[in-house]
Amino acid sequence: MAVQSTLRHSEDPLLILFHHYIDLFRGRVKRTSRTTRLLATLCLALCIISSGYGGQSWWRKRRAEKETGRRLLRRNSGLRGKDGSRTIFVPYKHSTSKVIIHPTKPTTFDAHRRLFLQPPRVAGLSDGRTPQVPPPQTKPGLNLAFLHQFLSLLNIMVPRWGSKESGLLVSHGGFLLLRTYLSLVVARLDGEIVRDLTGGKGKAFLWGIAKWCTIGCLASYTNSMIKFLQSKVSIAFRTRLTRYIHDLYLNDNLNYYKLTNLDGGIGNSADQYITQDLTLFCDAAASLYSSLGKPTVDLVVFNYQLYRSLGPLALSGLLANYFLTATLLRRLSPPFGKLKAVEGKREGEFRSLHARLIANAEEVAFYGGEGTEKGLLDKEFKALKGWMEGIYSLKIRYNMLEDFVLKYSWSAFGYLITSLPVFLPAWGGLGGASELLTVSSVISSTLTDSTESNASPTEASNRTGSRTQQFITNKRLMLSLADAGGRIMYSLKDLSELAGYTSRVYTLISTLHRVHASAYYPPRNSYSELYSLSDVQGTLQKGFDGVRLEHVPVVAPSLFPLGGEELIPNLSVIVRPGEHLLITGSNGCGKSSISRILATLWPTYRGLVSRPRNIGLDGIFFLPQRPYLSPGTLRDQVIYPHTELDLRASNRGERELQEVLEEAKLGYLVAREGGWDTRKEWKDVLSGGEKQRMGFARVLFHEPRFAVIDEGTSAVSSDVEGLMYESAKARGITLITISTRASLKRYHSFTLALGLGLEGDEWDFQRIGTESEKSTVEKELQELRERLSKVDEWKSRRRQIDEELGRVWVGGGQELEVPT
């Protein structure tokens, strides 16, 4: 022991101090509770894990994601997932936000097609047999057609129970139920506060005020969350519908072109349907869930509470009041659904006039047609204004009736209902029972003379306080009930407006499904017109190593159900790789129509059309007459219709893009405009010739096997045009050129001349340089010589006409009578 003591005292003083604090720490830990120690251990473990590798890894990953987002946003690019999804980055505050877009599956479109093209016959939208878009005579309103349309759209907005929209609706419903419960608590607390105030109970009154403020804070939060979730539901609905419509509108079937130029079911106002009408529908649908869901719950709960407080007579009166009010307003309500649908249509027509003026501003300015355009706009706005004023005048009368019935008549009826426990206690429910009990106790106390002087004032005071509490509580319930019933009655008008929006959105999606499935059928009780969309019997073959048309009539289609106009009756031509074709002819003979048929913009009514499968590399590429420059960077203009994401996937860099611009004689653009990531309104920056050369640069970049060029170099000088054609041929591109320039023959192997006959319906396909082709040219020259030889004869005839006119007109502009 002595040795141990000597060793202990010889230890280092720092070590002794360390052991001292360790003993203190252990003592404090022993004095703490087990729960506290457990929490401290968990916190320490989390700190160690997060600081060790998890937190740093998450932070490093987050920083890398932000940097990737900024880089891809600058380059107008994104990421593509293995499941076909696309990840894009959008600006958000001072950084970027990641958005993942999942495409709609083709099986989903197939499953929804019966909802929009084959609705049940009971809905009144079709005969149940022939797939079709709702007929124009279908009037929007609160009927079975509206129910089917809304449920069909709901199937898109809420695709499954586990979706985000379902979670938002459940959360919204939870807050609506909480708001109803808080209304009950407030009604009871209101009665207690008034009872304590009239009874002079100070402490109870102050405690009631404290509870009132606490509940008020919770109610304020609940009301704010209800509005917030309603906005979130509206945005979620719009996101689902917009992405669904975009997937159906912009796809390989070219529905965006066919919807306006072939179908014509919704006219030229597809933009208004997708932007304005869709927004109004989603807002109305989201508010309907709140304006109908909560009042319905309120009606059930408050009616039950009033039934307990006021008895069955009050409940019967309330139900009768609801029925009479709904019947009256339903019969006297104007057709708001139809009025809103027509208003939306006229808004679209007025908007399309402005869009047309913006698109053709330069042409209108050259012609000086601003006066005419102003007259058209003023006329359309006057019609829209007159229609809206008619709606407002109808709303004035309806709102007067609605306010009187829902506010003042219901308030007067509420006072009658709340008076039942006082004047008719036998029919007053629990309130009447307490009133009868109070009266019986007063009678018994009156019979007892010994306690009359002491008990009478107290019982009278208690009876007055009980009546006051019951009245205030019932009044609060009646006010909440009247508010709920009023919102339901007001919702009848909102439902009618929602029916109008639903009809327009449903018509848009139905028309898109009809275009997507080519579900065109002859009108009822009539035959299909020749060359209408219901008379398409041709065959389109994709995957052919060449371009072939066999016995194909070139027809300019009309809007369904009208028939098209035949331009060329029977065209047969084949272009193999390396055989360059030049298509010539007069204006209106059908040159550009051939390119539209090859691009599947126009249907193949008869015969066989064969072409490569892909657009772009090793396929076919089309260069239209009007140059198109997309929004985005300079890089996007060269690689269009590809994106920067496709460029990275093909392992091609900016050096190749620069080479393409050099071949198109646009190599100076990168330095002039400030780099590849520069964003500008390119349609205003580039000149006409630069726009056409940019289009040819796209042909060189994509390197297709076949390129159809429709007047793609009309604004380019002949020397530059020749260099670009030689560059394209050097890359192995087979050219199919539509042009009236005879100088382009040197770059082609064959020529297809259209409009050679008297009626403009003949064609001639020949190899350039052959004897027959030369004879054709000689024939054209001979025709020109014959016309020139008749010039003197035409001049002589003109002099004779002038002499005849001189006999009829004299000086001063007076006309003489010519004797017969």
Side-chain angles (χ1 to χ4, degrees):
M1 294 293 294
V3 174
Q4 292 179 358
S5 177
T6 304
L7 291 175
R8 182 174 182 87
H9 286 290
S10 64
E11 288 181 352
D12 187 26
L14 294 177
L15 186 61
I16 295 174
L17 185 64
F18 173 75
H19 284 297
H20 173 69
Y21 281 107
I22 287 293
D23 294 338
L24 288 177
F25 178 74
R26 288 175 179 174
R28 290 187 179 183
V29 169
K30 289 180 180 180
R31 288 193 296 269
T32 57
S33 63
R34 182 177 298 177
T35 305
T36 306
R37 282 181 286 173
L38 180 61
L39 291 176
T41 305
L42 290 176
C43 292
L44 182 61
L46 289 176
C47 291
I48 293 173
I49 293 173
S50 61
S51 61
Y53 61 92
Q56 294 180 5
S57 175
W58 178 85
W59 180 253
R60 197 179 299 112
K61 181 179 179 182
R62 180 62 179 164
R63 287 186 58 185
E65 183 178 299
K66 286 185 177 181
E67 182 62 29
T68 302
R70 284 191 290 266
R71 179 175 56 85
L72 293 178
L73 176 64
R74 184 178 66 251
R75 298 169 68 92
N76 195 26
S77 182
L79 301 173
R80 180 176 289 121
K82 295 181 179 180
D83 58 348
S85 62
R86 203 159 47 93
T87 302
I88 62 175
F89 293 87
V90 296
Y92 180 72
K93 294 183 179 180
H94 300 293
S95 182
T96 58
S97 178
K98 182 172 67 174
V99 179
I100 301 176
I101 301 176
H102 297 276
T104 306
K105 298 179 180 178
T107 54
T108 303
F109 292 142
D110 297 337
H112 289 174
R113 191 172 299 149
R114 62 178 182 82
L115 297 175
F116 293 94
L117 294 182
Q118 290 180 309
R121 182 181 299 181
V122 69
L125 298 174
S126 68
D127 56 3
R129 297 189 303 271
T130 305
Q132 60 179 318
V133 174
Q137 61 269 19
T138 303
K139 296 182 180 179
L142 302 180
N143 46 33
L144 291 177
F146 162 68
L147 182 62
H148 171 76
Q149 291 172 349
F150 185 79
L151 292 179
S152 300
L153 296 177
L154 188 65
N155 199 18
I156 300 174
M157 296 185 294
V158 187
R160 55 189 178 275
W161 290 106
S163 62
K164 173 186 175 182
E165 292 76 15
S166 300
L168 288 174
L169 291 175
V170 170
S171 301
H172 196 192
F175 277 98
L176 292 176
L177 292 176
L178 178 60
R179 185 67 185 88
T180 301
Y181 174 75
L182 291 177
S183 300
L184 287 175
V185 174
V186 166
R188 294 172 182 171
L189 186 58
D190 196 9
E192 293 176 1
I193 291 175
V194 175
R195 180 199 63 191
D196 296 335
L197 178 63
T198 56
K201 302 176 182 179
K203 292 183 178 181
F205 174 74
L206 294 177
W207 176 241
I209 293 296
K211 291 192 292 184
W212 179 277
C213 294
T214 304
I215 295 175
C217 294
L218 183 58
S220 300
Y221 172 74
T222 303
N223 291 333
S224 300
M225 286 302 298
I226 288 175
K227 294 179 181 178
F228 172 73
L229 288 174
Q230 178 177 327
S231 302
K232 292 287 289 184
V233 168
S234 176
I235 294 175
F237 284 173
R238 185 180 180 186
T239 302
R240 283 283 184 184
L241 283 174
T242 300
R243 291 180 178 175
Y244 183 91
I245 291 173
H246 282 177
D247 289 340
L248 196 57
Y249 184 62
L250 297 161
N251 53 27
D252 296 338
N253 198 43
L254 309 179
N255 294 337
Y256 57 92
Y257 175 86
K258 298 177 181 178
L259 182 68
T260 304
N261 297 277
L262 298 182
D263 187 275
I266 60 173
N268 296 323
S269 56
D271 56 341
Q272 198 229 352
Y273 276 85
I274 298 174
T275 56
Q276 183 177 355
D277 292 334
L278 188 62
T279 304
L280 293 174
F281 166 75
C282 294
D283 291 341
S287 63
L288 177 69
Y289 180 70
S290 178
S291 60
L292 278 184
K294 183 181 182 301
T296 302
V297 176
D298 290 349
L299 284 178
V300 175
V301 175
F302 293 152
N303 276 322
Y304 175 71
Q305 293 294 327
L306 289 173
Y307 169 75
R308 293 185 60 193
S309 301
L310 302 177
L313 183 60
L315 180 61
S316 301
L318 290 173
L319 294 179
N321 184 35
Y322 296 150
F323 178 76
L324 292 176
T325 303
T327 303
L328 179 64
L329 295 181
R330 180 72 178 85
R331 289 185 176 275
L332 299 180
S333 173
F336 287 110
K338 179 182 178 182
L339 295 176
K340 277 294 179 182
V342 176
E343 179 186 348
K345 180 181 178 181
R346 300 202 173 193
E347 287 277 7
E349 293 173 352
F350 182 63
R351 181 176 178 176
S352 64
L353 285 178
H354 274 285
R356 186 175 61 86
L357 178 60
I358 293 173
N360 303 280
E362 183 176 345
E363 291 79 4
V364 173
F366 275 124
Y367 282 113
E370 58 275 359
T372 303
E373 297 297 328
K374 182 176 181 295
L376 294 174
L377 289 171
D378 289 342
K379 179 181 178 181
E380 192 63 37
F381 179 75
K382 184 178 180 181
L384 175 62
K385 174 187 173 185
W387 186 264
M388 296 180 68
E389 287 178 345
I391 295 177
Y392 295 150
S393 62
L394 289 175
K395 282 187 176 181
I396 290 176
R397 296 191 291 269
Y398 181 75
N399 289 338
M400 289 174 57
L401 173 67
E402 197 175 43
D403 289 344
F404 177 77
V405 171
L406 298 181
K407 291 184 178 180
Y408 302 103
S409 299
W410 278 33
S411 298
F413 186 74
Y415 281 114
L416 292 177
I417 293 296
T418 54
S419 66
L420 287 178
V422 178
F423 299 111
L424 296 174
W427 298 87
L430 294 179
S434 62
E435 188 73 22
L436 291 175
L437 183 61
T438 303
V439 171
S440 62
S441 63
V442 169
I443 294 175
S444 62
S445 64
T446 303
L447 296 177
T448 307
D449 296 335
S450 61
T451 61
E452 179 180 0
S453 59
N454 297 328
S456 180
T458 304
E459 292 175 355
S461 177
N462 291 337
R463 182 172 61 179
T464 302
S466 177
R467 284 181 177 178
T468 303
Q469 179 183 358
Q470 291 177 4
F471 175 76
I472 295 299
T473 301
N474 292 333
K475 179 185 176 183
R476 173 69 70 170
L477 291 175
M478 285 295 299
L479 289 176
S480 300
L481 187 63
D483 180 66
R487 277 182 290 165
I488 287 183
M489 298 306 167
Y490 285 130
S491 297
L492 293 177
K493 179 177 64 178
D494 298 336
L495 269 175
S496 299
E497 295 181 357
L498 176 63
Y501 301 141
T502 304
S503 175
R504 289 181 64 81
V505 177
Y506 183 87
T507 301
L508 169 65
I509 298 180
S510 298
T511 308
L512 283 173
H513 271 289
R514 179 172 69 179
V515 175
H516 186 69
S518 298
Y520 294 99
Y521 298 89
R524 300 176 185 175
N525 302 325
S526 63
Y527 295 99
S528 175
E529 291 195 20
L530 181 64
Y531 297 141
S532 69
L533 291 181
S534 58
D535 186 37
V536 177
Q537 304 176 22
T539 303
L540 175 64
Q541 177 192 2
K542 290 187 177 181
F544 181 72
D545 189 17
V547 174
R548 177 175 58 189
L549 291 89
E550 290 186 1
H551 307 292
V552 176
V554 178
V555 178
S558 299
L559 296 179
F560 182 75
L562 301 178
E565 178 185 359
E566 187 179 66
L567 303 177
I568 302 174
N570 192 1
L571 179 62
S572 295
V573 63
I574 183 170
V575 180
R576 297 179 178 85
E579 299 178 350
H580 310 283
L581 174 64
L582 176 65
I583 302 177
T584 61
S586 58
N587 293 332
C589 65
K591 300 188 300 297
S592 299
S593 303
I594 297 177
S595 65
R596 295 187 181 103
I597 293 176
L598 290 176
T600 67
L601 271 66
W602 288 3
T604 305
Y605 290 99
R606 303 288 189 276
L608 171 66
V609 174
S610 303
R611 45 158 280 188
R613 182 180 304 278
N614 301 325
I615 297 290
L617 183 64
D618 293 332
I620 190 170
F621 196 84
F622 296 89
L623 194 61
Q625 274 188 356
R626 296 175 57 184
Y628 174 73
L629 299 173
S630 65
T633 63
L634 179 61
R635 181 189 303 103
D636 295 332
Q637 309 312 310
V638 181
I639 65 178
Y640 187 85
H642 285 180
T643 62
E644 202 269 345
L645 177 62
D646 301 314
L647 180 65
R648 285 190 286 110
S650 61
N651 296 323
R652 303 177 70 178
E654 295 176 354
R655 180 180 299 178
E656 295 185 40
L657 299 184
Q658 183 64 36
E659 293 176 359
V660 166
L661 289 183
E662 294 290 346
E663 293 185 23
K665 306 307 175 184
L666 292 173
Y668 56 87
L669 278 183
V670 180
R672 189 187 78 178
E673 301 301 336
W676 291 105
D677 294 330
T678 304
R679 295 171 181 262
K680 292 183 179 181
E681 286 293 332
W682 299 107
K683 62 182 180 63
D684 301 326
V685 173
L686 302 183
S687 65
E690 289 176 333
K691 291 177 183 178
Q692 288 194 344
R693 280 181 279 163
M694 180 63 74
F696 213 95
R698 293 171 182 171
V699 176
L700 299 177
F701 169 77
H702 289 285
E703 294 186 359
R705 289 182 64 82
F706 295 87
V708 181
I709 304 173
D710 188 0
E711 297 287 355
T713 57
S714 58
V716 180
S717 60
S718 299
D719 54 343
V720 175
E721 180 185 52
L723 293 175
M724 292 192 301
Y725 269 88
E726 291 295 344
S727 299
K729 295 173 67 175
R731 289 176 177 261
I733 302 174
T734 301
L735 302 173
I736 302 176
T737 305
I738 300 172
S739 178
T740 56
R741 285 188 177 184
S743 59
L744 292 177
K745 283 189 175 182
R746 70 182 71 173
Y747 309 110
H748 297 81
S749 308
F750 293 86
T751 177
L752 176 62
L754 303 178
L756 298 179
L758 297 177
E759 298 180 358
D761 57 357
E762 294 182 2
W763 54 273
D764 186 29
F765 179 73
Q766 292 181 348
R767 176 180 288 272
I768 296 177
T770 59
E771 292 297 330
S772 58
E773 193 267 341
K774 292 179 180 179
S775 64
T776 303
V777 175
E778 291 294 335
K779 182 179 179 182
E780 293 179 3
L781 292 175
Q782 184 63 29
E783 291 179 356
L784 291 176
R785 293 190 190 99
E786 291 178 357
R787 292 181 182 180
L788 290 175
S789 64
K790 297 180 181 180
V791 172
D792 295 335
E793 181 180 350
W794 293 339
K795 289 181 179 180
S796 175
R797 178 56 182 163
R798 179 180 177 181
R799 285 193 297 268
Q800 293 178 4
I801 294 174
D802 291 339
E803 292 175 0
E804 293 291 336
L805 292 175
R807 297 174 187 173
V808 178
W809 296 87
V810 296
Q814 296 183 1
E815 185 178 355
L816 299 178
E817 252 185 58
V818 180
T820 58

mmCIF file with all atom_site columns, all heavy atoms in Angstrom, residues 417-432:
data_model
loop_
_atom_site.group_PDB
_atom_site.id
_atom_site.type_symbol
_atom_site.label_atom_id
_atom_site.label_alt_id
_atom_site.label_comp_id
_atom_site.label_asym_id
_atom_site.label_entity_id
_atom_site.label_seq_id
_atom_site.pdbx_PDB_ins_code
_atom_site.Cartn_x
_atom_site.Cartn_y
_atom_site.Cartn_z
_atom_site.occupancy
_atom_site.B_iso_or_equiv
_atom_site.pdbx_formal_charge
_atom_site.auth_seq_id
_atom_site.auth_comp_id
_atom_site.auth_asym_id
_atom_site.auth_atom_id
_atom_site.pdbx_PDB_model_num
ATOM 1   N N   . ILE A 1 417 ? -84.969 29.947 -36.964 1.00 0.00 ? 417 ILE A N   1
ATOM 2   C CA  . ILE A 1 417 ? -84.538 28.624 -36.529 1.00 0.00 ? 417 ILE A CA  1
ATOM 3   C C   . ILE A 1 417 ? -83.969 28.676 -35.109 1.00 0.00 ? 417 ILE A C   1
ATOM 4   O O   . ILE A 1 417 ? -84.254 27.828 -34.261 1.00 0.00 ? 417 ILE A O   1
ATOM 5   C CB  . ILE A 1 417 ? -83.507 28.053 -37.517 1.00 0.00 ? 417 ILE A CB  1
ATOM 6   C CG1 . ILE A 1 417 ? -84.169 27.777 -38.882 1.00 0.00 ? 417 ILE A CG1 1
ATOM 7   C CG2 . ILE A 1 417 ? -82.890 26.773 -36.975 1.00 0.00 ? 417 ILE A CG2 1
ATOM 8   C CD1 . ILE A 1 417 ? -85.243 26.728 -38.847 1.00 0.00 ? 417 ILE A CD1 1
ATOM 9   N N   . THR A 1 418 ? -83.134 29.694 -34.820 1.00 0.00 ? 418 THR A N   1
ATOM 10  C CA  . THR A 1 418 ? -82.506 29.771 -33.497 1.00 0.00 ? 418 THR A CA  1
ATOM 11  C C   . THR A 1 418 ? -83.497 30.119 -32.396 1.00 0.00 ? 418 THR A C   1
ATOM 12  O O   . THR A 1 418 ? -83.180 29.963 -31.207 1.00 0.00 ? 418 THR A O   1
ATOM 13  C CB  . THR A 1 418 ? -81.386 30.811 -33.517 1.00 0.00 ? 418 THR A CB  1
ATOM 14  O OG1 . THR A 1 418 ? -81.903 32.067 -34.001 1.00 0.00 ? 418 THR A OG1 1
ATOM 15  C CG2 . THR A 1 418 ? -80.238 30.357 -34.401 1.00 0.00 ? 418 THR A CG2 1
ATOM 16  N N   . SER A 1 419 ? -84.659 30.607 -32.761 1.00 0.00 ? 419 SER A N   1
ATOM 17  C CA  . SER A 1 419 ? -85.667 30.935 -31.734 1.00 0.00 ? 419 SER A CA  1
ATOM 18  C C   . SER A 1 419 ? -86.512 29.741 -31.328 1.00 0.00 ? 419 SER A C   1
ATOM 19  O O   . SER A 1 419 ? -87.353 29.865 -30.427 1.00 0.00 ? 419 SER A O   1
ATOM 20  C CB  . SER A 1 419 ? -86.577 32.052 -32.252 1.00 0.00 ? 419 SER A CB  1
ATOM 21  O OG  . SER A 1 419 ? -87.356 31.599 -33.354 1.00 0.00 ? 419 SER A OG  1
ATOM 22  N N   . LEU A 1 420 ? -86.349 28.596 -31.959 1.00 0.00 ? 420 LEU A N   1
ATOM 23  C CA  . LEU A 1 420 ? -87.182 27.436 -31.634 1.00 0.00 ? 420 LEU A CA  1
ATOM 24  C C   . LEU A 1 420 ? -87.038 26.984 -30.185 1.00 0.00 ? 420 LEU A C   1
ATOM 25  O O   . LEU A 1 420 ? -88.051 26.685 -29.530 1.00 0.00 ? 420 LEU A O   1
ATOM 26  C CB  . LEU A 1 420 ? -86.845 26.285 -32.590 1.00 0.00 ? 420 LEU A CB  1
ATOM 27  C CG  . LEU A 1 420 ? -87.333 26.427 -34.038 1.00 0.00 ? 420 LEU A CG  1
ATOM 28  C CD1 . LEU A 1 420 ? -86.886 25.241 -34.871 1.00 0.00 ? 420 LEU A CD1 1
ATOM 29  C CD2 . LEU A 1 420 ? -88.860 26.537 -34.079 1.00 0.00 ? 420 LEU A CD2 1
ATOM 30  N N   . PRO A 1 421 ? -85.832 26.896 -29.588 1.00 0.00 ? 421 PRO A N   1
ATOM 31  C CA  . PRO A 1 421 ? -85.756 26.450 -28.188 1.00 0.00 ? 421 PRO A CA  1
ATOM 32  C C   . PRO A 1 421 ? -86.459 27.372 -27.204 1.00 0.00 ? 421 PRO A C   1
ATOM 33  O O   . PRO A 1 421 ? -86.854 26.940 -26.116 1.00 0.00 ? 421 PRO A O   1
ATOM 34  C CB  . PRO A 1 421 ? -84.248 26.415 -27.919 1.00 0.00 ? 421 PRO A CB  1
ATOM 35  C CG  . PRO A 1 421 ? -83.618 26.279 -29.242 1.00 0.00 ? 421 PRO A CG  1
ATOM 36  C CD  . PRO A 1 421 ? -84.498 27.045 -30.182 1.00 0.00 ? 421 PRO A CD  1
ATOM 37  N N   . VAL A 1 422 ? -86.612 28.648 -27.579 1.00 0.00 ? 422 VAL A N   1
ATOM 38  C CA  . VAL A 1 422 ? -87.233 29.599 -26.659 1.00 0.00 ? 422 VAL A CA  1
ATOM 39  C C   . VAL A 1 422 ? -88.748 29.578 -26.785 1.00 0.00 ? 422 VAL A C   1
ATOM 40  O O   . VAL A 1 422 ? -89.484 29.476 -25.791 1.00 0.00 ? 422 VAL A O   1
ATOM 41  C CB  . VAL A 1 422 ? -86.673 31.011 -26.917 1.00 0.00 ? 422 VAL A CB  1
ATOM 42  C CG1 . VAL A 1 422 ? -87.340 32.029 -25.992 1.00 0.00 ? 422 VAL A CG1 1
ATOM 43  C CG2 . VAL A 1 422 ? -85.166 31.027 -26.725 1.00 0.00 ? 422 VAL A CG2 1
ATOM 44  N N   . PHE A 1 423 ? -89.251 29.655 -28.025 1.00 0.00 ? 423 PHE A N   1
ATOM 45  C CA  . PHE A 1 423 ? -90.698 29.771 -28.222 1.00 0.00 ? 423 PHE A CA  1
ATOM 46  C C   . PHE A 1 423 ? -91.371 28.419 -28.411 1.00 0.00 ? 423 PHE A C   1
ATOM 47  O O   . PHE A 1 423 ? -92.558 28.279 -28.106 1.00 0.00 ? 423 PHE A O   1
ATOM 48  C CB  . PHE A 1 423 ? -90.980 30.654 -29.446 1.00 0.00 ? 423 PHE A CB  1
ATOM 49  C CG  . PHE A 1 423 ? -90.448 32.048 -29.295 1.00 0.00 ? 423 PHE A CG  1
ATOM 50  C CD1 . PHE A 1 423 ? -89.373 32.494 -30.054 1.00 0.00 ? 423 PHE A CD1 1
ATOM 51  C CD2 . PHE A 1 423 ? -91.006 32.936 -28.382 1.00 0.00 ? 423 PHE A CD2 1
ATOM 52  C CE1 . PHE A 1 423 ? -88.876 33.772 -29.920 1.00 0.00 ? 423 PHE A CE1 1
ATOM 53  C CE2 . PHE A 1 423 ? -90.515 34.228 -28.241 1.00 0.00 ? 423 PHE A CE2 1
ATOM 54  C CZ  . PHE A 1 423 ? -89.456 34.642 -29.007 1.00 0.00 ? 423 PHE A CZ  1
ATOM 55  N N   . LEU A 1 424 ? -90.644 27.424 -28.954 1.00 0.00 ? 424 LEU A N   1
ATOM 56  C CA  . LEU A 1 424 ? -91.196 26.073 -29.112 1.00 0.00 ? 424 LEU A CA  1
ATOM 57  C C   . LEU A 1 424 ? -90.221 25.080 -28.498 1.00 0.00 ? 424 LEU A C   1
ATOM 58  O O   . LEU A 1 424 ? -89.534 24.341 -29.201 1.00 0.00 ? 424 LEU A O   1
ATOM 59  C CB  . LEU A 1 424 ? -91.439 25.748 -30.597 1.00 0.00 ? 424 LEU A CB  1
ATOM 60  C CG  . LEU A 1 424 ? -92.475 26.603 -31.335 1.00 0.00 ? 424 LEU A CG  1
ATOM 61  C CD1 . LEU A 1 424 ? -92.489 26.255 -32.811 1.00 0.00 ? 424 LEU A CD1 1
ATOM 62  C CD2 . LEU A 1 424 ? -93.868 26.416 -30.741 1.00 0.00 ? 424 LEU A CD2 1
ATOM 63  N N   . PRO A 1 425 ? -90.118 25.063 -27.179 1.00 0.00 ? 425 PRO A N   1
ATOM 64  C CA  . PRO A 1 425 ? -89.113 24.199 -26.549 1.00 0.00 ? 425 PRO A CA  1
ATOM 65  C C   . PRO A 1 425 ? -89.340 22.714 -26.802 1.00 0.00 ? 425 PRO A C   1
ATOM 66  O O   . PRO A 1 425 ? -88.399 21.934 -26.781 1.00 0.00 ? 425 PRO A O   1
ATOM 67  C CB  . PRO A 1 425 ? -89.242 24.538 -25.062 1.00 0.00 ? 425 PRO A CB  1
ATOM 68  C CG  . PRO A 1 425 ? -90.600 25.128 -24.915 1.00 0.00 ? 425 PRO A CG  1
ATOM 69  C CD  . PRO A 1 425 ? -90.911 25.824 -26.182 1.00 0.00 ? 425 PRO A CD  1
ATOM 70  N N   . ALA A 1 426 ? -90.577 22.313 -27.035 1.00 0.00 ? 426 ALA A N   1
ATOM 71  C CA  . ALA A 1 426 ? -90.840 20.892 -27.284 1.00 0.00 ? 426 ALA A CA  1
ATOM 72  C C   . ALA A 1 426 ? -90.230 20.429 -28.599 1.00 0.00 ? 426 ALA A C   1
ATOM 73  O O   . ALA A 1 426 ? -89.971 19.240 -28.787 1.00 0.00 ? 426 ALA A O   1
ATOM 74  C CB  . ALA A 1 426 ? -92.341 20.620 -27.293 1.00 0.00 ? 426 ALA A CB  1
ATOM 75  N N   . TRP A 1 427 ? -89.971 21.374 -29.554 1.00 0.00 ? 427 TRP A N   1
ATOM 76  C CA  . TRP A 1 427 ? -89.382 21.037 -30.853 1.00 0.00 ? 427 TRP A CA  1
ATOM 77  C C   . TRP A 1 427 ? -87.950 21.567 -30.973 1.00 0.00 ? 427 TRP A C   1
ATOM 78  O O   . TRP A 1 427 ? -87.408 21.614 -32.068 1.00 0.00 ? 427 TRP A O   1
ATOM 79  C CB  . TRP A 1 427 ? -90.232 21.636 -31.983 1.00 0.00 ? 427 TRP A CB  1
ATOM 80  C CG  . TRP A 1 427 ? -91.619 21.114 -32.022 1.00 0.00 ? 427 TRP A CG  1
ATOM 81  C CD1 . TRP A 1 427 ? -92.700 21.581 -31.340 1.00 0.00 ? 427 TRP A CD1 1
ATOM 82  C CD2 . TRP A 1 427 ? -92.068 19.995 -32.763 1.00 0.00 ? 427 TRP A CD2 1
ATOM 83  N NE1 . TRP A 1 427 ? -93.814 20.856 -31.600 1.00 0.00 ? 427 TRP A NE1 1
ATOM 84  C CE2 . TRP A 1 427 ? -93.450 19.849 -32.494 1.00 0.00 ? 427 TRP A CE2 1
ATOM 85  C CE3 . TRP A 1 427 ? -91.467 19.076 -33.629 1.00 0.00 ? 427 TRP A CE3 1
ATOM 86  C CZ2 . TRP A 1 427 ? -94.226 18.837 -33.058 1.00 0.00 ? 427 TRP A CZ2 1
ATOM 87  C CZ3 . TRP A 1 427 ? -92.229 18.094 -34.197 1.00 0.00 ? 427 TRP A CZ3 1
ATOM 88  C CH2 . TRP A 1 427 ? -93.597 17.975 -33.910 1.00 0.00 ? 427 TRP A CH2 1
ATOM 89  N N   . GLY A 1 428 ? -87.359 21.947 -29.836 1.00 0.00 ? 428 GLY A N   1
ATOM 90  C CA  . GLY A 1 428 ? -86.078 22.639 -29.886 1.00 0.00 ? 428 GLY A CA  1
ATOM 91  C C   . GLY A 1 428 ? -84.875 21.797 -29.616 1.00 0.00 ? 428 GLY A C   1
ATOM 92  O O   . GLY A 1 428 ? -83.796 22.357 -29.363 1.00 0.00 ? 428 GLY A O   1
ATOM 93  N N   . GLY A 1 429 ? -84.942 20.474 -29.580 1.00 0.00 ? 429 GLY A N   1
ATOM 94  C CA  . GLY A 1 429 ? -83.774 19.632 -29.373 1.00 0.00 ? 429 GLY A CA  1
ATOM 95  C C   . GLY A 1 429 ? -83.215 19.753 -27.972 1.00 0.00 ? 429 GLY A C   1
ATOM 96  O O   . GLY A 1 429 ? -83.950 19.909 -26.980 1.00 0.00 ? 429 GLY A O   1
ATOM 97  N N   . LEU A 1 430 ? -81.872 19.692 -27.884 1.00 0.00 ? 430 LEU A N   1
ATOM 98  C CA  . LEU A 1 430 ? -81.225 19.794 -26.582 1.00 0.00 ? 430 LEU A CA  1
ATOM 99  C C   . LEU A 1 430 ? -81.449 21.158 -25.956 1.00 0.00 ? 430 LEU A C   1
ATOM 100 O O   . LEU A 1 430 ? -81.599 21.281 -24.733 1.00 0.00 ? 430 LEU A O   1
ATOM 101 C CB  . LEU A 1 430 ? -79.726 19.519 -26.719 1.00 0.00 ? 430 LEU A CB  1
ATOM 102 C CG  . LEU A 1 430 ? -79.338 18.095 -27.141 1.00 0.00 ? 430 LEU A CG  1
ATOM 103 C CD1 . LEU A 1 430 ? -77.827 17.975 -27.261 1.00 0.00 ? 430 LEU A CD1 1
ATOM 104 C CD2 . LEU A 1 430 ? -79.870 17.082 -26.132 1.00 0.00 ? 430 LEU A CD2 1
ATOM 105 N N   . GLY A 1 431 ? -81.463 22.209 -26.772 1.00 0.00 ? 431 GLY A N   1
ATOM 106 C CA  . GLY A 1 431 ? -81.750 23.536 -26.247 1.00 0.00 ? 431 GLY A CA  1
ATOM 107 C C   . GLY A 1 431 ? -83.148 23.624 -25.680 1.00 0.00 ? 431 GLY A C   1
ATOM 108 O O   . GLY A 1 431 ? -83.381 24.212 -24.607 1.00 0.00 ? 431 GLY A O   1
ATOM 109 N N   . GLY A 1 432 ? -84.114 23.042 -26.355 1.00 0.00 ? 432 GLY A N   1
ATOM 110 C CA  . GLY A 1 432 ? -85.480 23.027 -25.839 1.00 0.00 ? 432 GLY A CA  1
ATOM 111 C C   . GLY A 1 432 ? -85.598 22.187 -24.590 1.00 0.00 ? 432 GLY A C   1
ATOM 112 O O   . GLY A 1 432 ? -86.347 22.526 -23.661 1.00 0.00 ? 432 GLY A O   1
#
